[in-house]
Amino acid sequence: MFKELDPLLHSQLRLAVMSLLIGVEEADFVFLKEKTGATAGNLSVQIDKLSEAGYIRVEKTFAGKMPRTLCRITPEGIAAFDAYVKALKSYLNIRK
Amino acid sequence: MFKELDPLLHSQLRLAVMSLLIGVEEADFVFLKEKTGATAGNLSVQIDKLSEAGYIRVEKTFAGKMPRTLCRITPEGIAAFDAYVKALKSYLNIRK
DNA sequence: TATATTTGGTTTATAAAATAAACTGTTTTA
DNA sequence: TAAAACAGTTTATTTTATAAACCAAATATA
């Protein structure tokens, strides 16, 4: 009847991050922060979780001496996102 | 960019309950429990929250001496569900 | 040239949520 | 007449989300 909703994606901020990353080759921390409107702390935590799950890959570089955190979605991340969207539909497509 | 996701609906079980109620005139506790696969305790708590938010109306009757909890979605509940679905799309419709 | 502010984050603490476990009262079954 | 089952509720525990506090470097300010 209802499919499981991947708890890692069923979070407003993490879903927004994935949504952004899926449409783009890569994105840095500042970009994600601006687009999502999240606080830096919250974003940092959620990026870590996505990274630990293998849904994104994070690369910490420097632009000069300022840190630069680059994020990319992984194939597993894309698959998980697609599965999540599919699962969600079991909750939404009830009416004609 | 991203619309707020009503936290009351952004919960797997509450969303499932709303999803069921939106397609039906009324449903009782047992029906909702079976369809969602939730534990009674969890369902009880989430029904309360939806009820307190005014998204559903709960009527506690008796079938003989056995309690019977009937739930119906309210117009506000329908509106909230529709808004939630609309907001969700801002997270999903990124790709063509 | 100190010093205050901003940038780009991380770590830690707190509040809120989801969930499970334990409990209540009735009712059926063995 | 126990014991199991039904229909829930309440309480406790675990997990999450979020914010607050912090850090190091860079830049602006006086």
Side-chain angles (χ1 to χ4, degrees):
Chain A
M1 177 93 221
F2 294 108
K3 293 182 193 140
E4 273 301 299
L5 294 177
D6 182 345
L8 242 130
L9 294 183
H10 198 61
S11 137
Q12 184 164 175
L13 181 48
R14 289 195 299 270
L15 189 63
V17 168
M18 292 291 282
S19 179
L20 286 167
L21 290 180
I22 214 163
V24 98
E25 290 310 304
E26 61 181 35
D28 66 14
F29 191 93
V30 174
F31 175 85
L32 293 174
K33 186 167 175 297
E34 277 171 8
K35 290 290 181 181
T36 60
T39 61
N42 194 7
L43 183 58
S44 178
V45 170
Q46 308 311 330
I47 282 177
D48 271 8
K49 288 192 184 172
L50 290 172
S51 172
E52 271 156 37
Y55 289 0
I56 68 175
R57 186 179 313 270
V58 178
E59 191 186 342
K60 291 178 191 200
T61 59
F62 284 87
K65 274 183 187 170
M66 291 299 270
R68 178 147 197 257
T69 299
L70 274 173
C71 303
R72 285 181 186 76
I73 199 165
T74 63
E76 306 90 70
I78 293 174
F81 189 85
D82 287 344
Y84 175 78
V85 172
K86 209 175 162 194
L88 251 191
K89 285 183 181 161
S90 68
Y91 293 78
L92 309 182
N93 282 347
I94 301 302
R95 290 169 301 172
K96 299 300 112 46
Chain B
M1 175 93 220
F2 295 107
K3 292 183 194 139
E4 272 302 299
L5 294 178
D6 182 346
L8 242 129
L9 294 184
H10 198 62
S11 139
Q12 184 165 176
L13 181 49
R14 288 196 298 271
L15 190 63
V17 168
M18 292 291 282
S19 178
L20 286 167
L21 289 181
I22 215 162
V24 97
E25 290 310 305
E26 61 181 34
D28 65 15
F29 191 93
V30 174
F31 175 87
L32 294 174
K33 186 168 174 298
E34 277 172 6
K35 289 291 181 181
T36 59
T39 61
N42 194 6
L43 182 57
S44 179
V45 170
Q46 306 313 329
I47 282 177
D48 270 9
K49 288 192 185 173
L50 290 171
S51 171
E52 270 156 37
Y55 289 0
I56 68 176
R57 186 181 312 272
V58 178
E59 190 185 344
K60 292 180 190 197
T61 59
F62 284 89
K65 273 183 187 167
M66 291 299 272
R68 178 147 197 257
T69 299
L70 275 172
C71 302
R72 285 181 186 75
I73 199 166
T74 63
E76 305 89 71
I78 294 174
F81 189 86
D82 288 344
Y84 175 78
V85 172
K86 209 175 161 192
L88 252 191
K89 286 183 181 161
S90 68
Y91 294 79
L92 309 182
N93 281 348
I94 300 304
R95 290 168 300 173
K96 296 303 111 47

